[in-house]
Each structure stands twice: as structure tokens, then as C-alpha cells.
């Protein structure tokens, strides 16, 4: 066994992971020389070498869970990662000039991909599985939870920052008789969202959040804050305050990390979510301090594990229909994304937070039951 793989096995052994073992979560290396070279580039190299077929694992989700649950990933660091994080401190990777890049790279891949992976409403965020047994019911429960937390009433004007394919906007308009303005940085999302919300009091705009104007009774942002970046968190919160009416509520639904980092995970940022990074509790608290009042903070990140596994099941089932438009390399990349993220949520390495803010403090005790 090459020296590099011996060192890795030393790290993995206490976590019950073997190289070339026979269990579903063990790593099978097909090209040891290139695998060792890939490891010198940290998690970026590990992900790229998987896409290239240099190694395999039957249960990537469990491998990731075992790898992260005791935070042993901190043992695998190198100069590439240090420089990567340094650039995050020096440059604003989520500036307005770069705002549409993630839309072009990820969300504009093709609506057929997401139609065959997500639920019927195409909700691309963590579902709420508390009393649900299917993806459809779990996503509907999440939409209802958001509406109850925002205390929507007929006639309200609601802003949806990062509206996706319009699933939440449509649900709010149909079930709560509110008027919705939704924004997205994806052309494909905007087009389909307009079709999905046709005939409803919903306006879909293709624009960056920094261009928003108006006044709203309630504001919601689901799965978008991960693209804002720590250099822009304060600006984002101040924009929300400016747009929100004095007695309004703002719900922030975002993936969050345990550590306050200045860049996203290298492989995910390069291949999946360009310029993305996860906020920490500290980043959110610092940005909202003296700007908004935090009324409620809920963590149901464990449900993202279930959600991602459901998406992977749909992706696998519908791959025969998708492979005419997507390559085998894309197949490996996409499953690596879904399954490693599922394992990370399972390990509580990352979380899903729903945070409710008011502008001046909610009158009385805030509750949404």
C-alpha cells in the first residue's frame, strides 16, 4: 500500500473505515498512485478523484458520516486549503458582479433534472419530516410551517428572496390569499416559476437581492442565504430591515455550519454551488445585531439527511430518462454531491436553521403553534 494511503488508513481505522475493505462504506481504490496525489489537494482532490473513477464507495453517505462525526476531517489539512481560505478573506466572492454565476452553473442545468429529482412542487430545500412519511408530504409540511411562522393573513404583501421554481410563492398565494414578489438569479427558475404561478397574484423577478425596493408585510428566504457570503451578511440584513414593515416578520431558512469560515467547501464550491459558503451562528448573530430582533431559532438539520436520500432515490430511479442529456461523469458528480451532503447532515457537521426575526420586537410572546 502506498505511503499516502497508509497514512490515510491510520486516520480512518479508528472510525471503522477500511481501504479496499469489503463493507459498503469502505473505500475501494482503483488507482493508488493518482489517489495519493489527489489526497494532497484535500477534499477537492478527494471529490475530483471520485468523479474520475479513481476510487469508489457503495455507501458514500455512511462513509461521509463516519468520516465527519468525530470531526477527523480536521486532521487532513494542507497548504492548498489554507490559501483557499485566505483568498476568501481578501476577496468578496459573492459580489453583485458574481451574483448570477451560481444560477448559470447550477440552477440553469436543466429543469428536467430537478423535475425528476424533487417533489411535484420542485422544492429544493430541506423538507419537514416530523409527521410525514413521503417527500411530497414532508415538503408540504415545510411550506405550511413557514406560513404559520410568518403569521400570514389575506391581503398581505410577501417577499420571497430566492423563490426557486415558485413552489412556496404559489403555496402562499393559493392557501393564504397573499400577494407575492419572488426573486431568483436563475433564468430557468424564473421562467418556470412564472408558468407555475400563472393566474395568481405572484410576480417573479430575475434580479439580485441588492436591487430590491418596496415595503412588505412579511419576508421569507429559503435556501438562498448560503449564496450571500460573510462579507455581505450585514448588507443583506440591513436590506431586509429596510424592506420590512415595522410590524412584519422575516423568516430565514438556511443551511448553517459549526465553524465561522470565510469560504465554502472547496469541492462543492467548484462543482455545485459557485461562490457558496455556509453561515455560522456567529456570522448570523453579528450581521443581525442592532438590525433585527431574533424571535425564534429552530434546527431540524437531521431532516436534511432524509431529504437528500429521497432526492438521491428519485435521481437513481429516473436516471434512465436523464442520461440522454447528462453524462456518466455528471452522474458520479451528482450522486457524490447528494450522498456526501446527506452524510454531513447525519454527522451534524452541518445544520438546517429556520430563524424568525422581527423588525422592532414582536408584541407579546412569539409562537407559531
Amino acid at each position: 500500500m502506498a505511503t499516502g494511503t497508509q497514512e490515510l488508513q491510520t486516520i480512518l481505522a479508528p472510525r471503522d473505515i477500511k481501504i479496499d475493505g469489503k463493507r459498503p462504506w469502505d473505500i475501494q481504490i482503483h488507482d493508488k498512485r493518482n489517489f495519493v496525489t489527489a489526497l494532497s489537494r484535500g477534499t477537492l482532490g478527494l471529490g475530483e478523484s471520485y468523479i474520475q473513477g479513481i476510487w469508489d464507495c457503495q455507501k458514500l453517505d455512511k462513509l461521509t458520516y463516519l468520516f465527519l462525526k468525530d470531526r477527523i476531517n480536521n486532521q487532513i489539512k494542507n497548504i492548498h486549503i489554507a490559501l483557499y481560505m485566505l483568498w476568501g478573506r481578501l476577496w468578496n466572492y459573492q459580489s453583485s458582479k458574481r451574483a448570477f454565476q451560481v444560477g448559470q452553473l447550477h440552477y440553469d442545468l436543466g429543469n428536467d433534472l430537478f423535475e425528476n429529482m424533487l417533489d411535484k412542487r420542485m422544492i429544493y430545500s430541506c423538507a419537514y419530516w416530523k409527521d410525514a412519511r413521503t417527500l411530497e408530504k414532508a415538503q408540504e409540511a415545510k411550506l405550511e410551517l413557514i406560513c404559520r411562522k410568518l403569521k400570514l393573513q389575506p391581503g398581505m404583501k410577501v417577499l420571497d428572496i430566492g423563490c426557486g421554481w415558485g413552489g412556496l410563492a404559489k403555496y402562499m398565494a393559493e392557501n393564504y390569499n397573499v400577494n407575492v414578489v419572488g426573486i431568483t438569479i436563475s433564468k430557468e427558475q424564473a421562467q418556470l416559476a412564472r408558468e407555475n404561478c400563472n393566474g395568481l397574484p405572484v410576480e417573479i423577478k430575475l434580479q439580485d437581492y441588492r436591487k430590491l425596493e418596496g415595503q412588505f408585510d412579511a419576508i421569507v428566504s429559503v435556501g438562498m442565504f448560503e449564496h450571500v457570503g460573510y462579507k455581505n451578511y450585514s448588507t443583506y440584513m440591513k436590506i431586509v430591515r429596510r424592506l420590512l414593515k415595522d410590524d412584519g416578520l422575516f423568516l430565514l431558512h438556511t443551511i448553517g455550519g459549526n465553524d465561522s469560515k470565510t469560504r465554502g467547501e472547496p469541492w462543492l464550491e467548484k462543482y455545485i454551488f459557485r461562490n457558496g459558503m455556509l453561515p455560522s451562528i456567529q456570522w448570523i448573530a453579528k450581521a443581525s445585531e442592532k438590525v433585527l430582533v431574533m424571535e425564534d431559532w429552530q434546527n431540524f438539520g437531521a431532516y436534511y439527511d432524509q431529504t437528500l436520500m429521497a432526492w438521491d432515490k428519485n435521481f437513481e430511479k429516473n436516471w434512465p430518462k436523464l442520461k440522454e442529456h447528462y453524462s456518466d461523469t455528471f452522474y458520479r458528480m451528482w450522486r457524490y454531491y447528494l450522498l456526501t451532503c446527506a452524510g454531513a447532515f447525519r454527522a451534524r457537521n452541518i445544520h438546517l436553521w429556520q430563524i424568525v426575526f422581527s423588525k422592532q420586537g414582536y408584541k407579546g410572546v412569539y409562537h407559531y403553534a
Side-chain angles (χ1 to χ4, degrees):
M1 187 181 293
T3 302
T5 54
Q6 288 176 335
E7 294 173 355
L8 180 62
Q9 184 64 84
T10 301
I11 296 173
L12 296 179
R15 305 284 77 82
D16 194 29
I17 302 170
K18 295 180 180 179
I19 293 178
D20 293 333
K22 297 181 179 180
R23 299 164 304 177
W25 60 89
D26 287 330
I27 297 174
Q28 309 298 322
I29 303 177
H30 307 306
D31 184 339
K32 287 185 169 58
R33 177 177 295 181
N34 282 324
F35 183 76
V36 172
T37 301
L39 284 185
S40 69
R41 302 179 64 216
T43 57
L44 176 60
L46 191 67
E48 288 183 332
S49 59
Y50 178 83
I51 297 174
Q52 295 162 6
I54 291 173
W55 66 277
D56 270 302
C57 176
Q58 186 179 342
K59 293 286 186 180
L60 278 170
D61 55 308
K62 185 166 184 178
L63 170 66
T64 306
Y65 164 71
L66 292 171
F67 188 75
L68 293 177
K69 71 183 183 73
D70 293 322
R71 302 172 71 79
I72 65 168
N73 56 309
N74 290 335
Q75 299 178 32
I76 305 177
K77 291 185 179 293
N78 53 53
I79 188 62
H80 296 284
I81 299 300
L83 289 173
Y84 177 82
M85 293 300 174
L86 176 60
W87 282 116
R89 291 186 177 275
L90 296 177
W91 300 101
N92 184 355
Y93 282 87
Q94 297 82 19
S95 66
S96 56
K97 292 182 179 180
R98 301 168 66 93
F100 287 80
Q101 289 183 357
V102 69
Q104 296 164 356
L105 175 71
H106 187 80
Y107 299 107
D108 289 345
L109 278 169
N111 288 334
D112 61 332
L113 169 64
F114 297 102
E115 286 170 342
N116 282 284
M117 185 181 82
L118 307 177
D119 63 302
K120 64 182 181 182
R121 290 188 175 92
M122 295 180 69
I123 306 299
Y124 194 25
S125 55
C126 182
Y128 191 63
W129 295 84
K130 181 175 179 290
D131 299 310
R133 296 293 178 268
T134 67
L135 180 62
E136 298 291 341
K137 291 296 184 181
Q139 289 293 16
E140 183 174 310
K142 189 265 297 295
L143 300 184
E144 181 62 26
L145 180 66
I146 288 172
C147 293
R148 285 193 286 114
K149 287 185 176 182
L150 287 172
K151 299 187 179 295
L152 298 184
Q153 297 294 326
M156 279 186 170
K157 187 176 182 181
V158 182
L159 172 63
D160 184 355
I161 305 177
C163 64
W165 292 275
L168 174 58
K170 183 178 181 180
Y171 186 89
M172 292 189 292
E174 287 181 335
N175 293 277
Y176 283 84
N177 298 314
V178 297
N179 302 288
V180 185
V181 174
I183 67 165
T184 175
I185 42 75
S186 164
K187 293 180 180 179
E188 292 288 330
Q189 284 187 339
Q191 180 179 339
L192 188 54
R194 289 173 184 137
E195 294 174 9
N196 288 337
C197 297
N198 185 41
L200 294 170
V202 176
E203 180 183 7
I204 303 297
K205 297 182 178 181
L206 182 66
Q207 70 174 76
D208 181 44
Y209 69 93
R210 281 162 281 219
K211 303 294 185 181
L212 282 164
E213 297 292 341
Q215 285 282 283
F216 299 89
D217 298 291
I219 300 176
V220 60
S221 183
V222 179
M224 176 270 176
F225 199 65
E226 299 90 331
H227 304 302
V228 171
Y230 84 103
K231 286 183 176 290
N232 307 299
Y233 291 152
S234 180
T235 297
Y236 180 95
M237 293 295 184
K238 290 175 181 176
I239 289 173
V240 167
R241 178 179 173 83
R242 173 172 56 81
L243 298 170
L244 189 64
K245 290 184 179 179
D246 289 346
D247 59 349
L249 293 173
F250 164 50
L251 186 144
L252 179 65
H253 175 117
T254 182
I255 300 171
N258 290 320
D259 306 317
S260 298
K261 297 181 178 180
T262 56
R263 291 289 298 274
E265 196 284 319
W267 185 87
L268 278 172
E269 184 178 347
K270 181 176 180 179
Y271 288 94
I272 307 297
F273 296 114
R274 182 63 54 82
N275 308 321
M277 66 165 289
L278 300 184
S280 65
I281 292 174
Q282 179 182 338
W283 284 134
I284 294 174
K286 184 177 180 180
S288 60
E289 185 176 338
K290 298 181 180 180
V291 180
L292 297 167
V293 179
M294 193 278 288
E295 300 288 351
D296 185 76
W297 194 310
Q298 182 182 13
N299 183 346
F300 53 88
Y303 289 153
Y304 226 142
D305 177 13
Q306 290 178 259
T307 305
L308 284 154
M309 295 305 291
W311 290 346
D312 179 67
K313 184 178 179 180
N314 287 342
F315 179 70
E316 276 280 272
K317 180 180 69 176
N318 293 312
W319 177 247
K321 292 188 290 184
L322 291 168
K323 65 181 182 181
E324 295 181 8
H325 304 105
Y326 301 90
S327 67
D328 290 340
T329 299
F330 179 88
Y331 172 82
R332 290 182 67 86
M333 178 192 77
W334 203 254
R335 293 208 72 211
Y336 187 84
Y337 150 54
L338 295 174
L339 294 173
T340 56
C341 284
F345 280 104
R346 195 176 307 165
R348 308 311 296 275
N349 180 260
I350 50 180
H351 310 276
L352 189 285
W353 298 324
Q354 275 195 357
I355 313 166
V356 178
F357 294 95
S358 64
K359 187 171 182 177
Q360 298 179 337
Y362 186 77
K363 293 180 176 63
V365 178
Y366 175 84
H367 63 85
Y368 54 88

